[in-house]
């Protein structure tokens, strides 16, 4: 793990992973099962590392997930898929396949817009 505060993340059991949804690859960090799942979606221009200082704190009471959306960091770069419908469908697949069911989802800026998309289009998640 080559991120700021990597030792604190490792100490609470947070590691980096990749999720593949078709030809889209999502780079994300996830922590141990310490409670209800919490998925964090950053805004445009930043990666999951935006949450690096919060993840150890949130991991005390939640199973945390922080994603880097396509076009950011180590996630795939697929410009034709940068619409809210495409990103929303990818996040829905992530929640179904990685998280395994309903989660608290939070985001800032365009990540917040995706949380609204998920609530409107995939309310069971």
């Amino acid at each position: 793990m080559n991120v700021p505060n990597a030792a604190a993340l490792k100490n609470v059991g947070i590691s980096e992973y990749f999720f593949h949804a078709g030809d889209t690859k999502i780079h994300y960090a996830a922590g141990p099962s310490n409670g209800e799942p919490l998925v964090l979606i950053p805004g445009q221009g930043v990666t999951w590392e935006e949450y690096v200082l919060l993840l150890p704190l949130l991991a005390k009471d939640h199973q945390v997930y922080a994603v880097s959306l396509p076009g950011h960091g180590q996630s795939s770069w697929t410009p034709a898929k940068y619409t809210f419908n495409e990103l929303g469908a990818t996040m829905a697949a992530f929640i179904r396949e990685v998280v395994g069911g309903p989660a608290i989802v939070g985001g800032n800026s365009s990540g917040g817009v995706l949380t609204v998309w998920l609530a409107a289009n995939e309310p069971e998640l």
Side-chain angles (χ1 to χ4, degrees):
M1 191 175 296
N2 191 21
V3 298
N5 215 30
L9 295 177
K10 199 170 247 187
N11 286 342
V12 296
I14 296 172
S15 298
E16 295 179 77
Y17 303 93
F18 289 95
F19 165 68
H20 296 269
D23 60 351
T24 301
K25 176 179 71 172
I26 298 293
H27 182 220
Y28 70 97
S33 183
N34 290 337
E36 202 169 3
L38 172 63
V39 178
L40 300 171
I41 307 172
Q44 187 131 6
V46 292
T47 62
W48 72 262
E49 289 93 344
E50 175 180 32
Y51 297 109
V52 73
L53 296 175
L54 293 174
L55 288 173
L57 300 170
L58 295 169
K60 293 176 184 175
D61 299 312
H62 298 281
Q63 183 170 12
V64 293
Y65 300 86
V67 301
S68 293
L69 292 171
H72 298 82
Q74 295 181 53
S75 292
S76 60
W77 290 67
T78 51
K81 294 190 173 191
Y82 295 168
T83 68
F84 281 110
N85 284 335
E86 288 283 346
L87 295 171
T90 298
M91 286 308 305
F94 176 86
I95 294 169
R96 277 191 195 93
E97 296 177 37
V98 174
V99 178
I104 300 167
V105 181
N108 63 311
S109 192
S110 59
V113 175
L114 279 173
T115 65
V116 172
W117 187 98
L118 287 163
N121 294 282
E122 301 281 353
E124 73 282 1
L125 299 177

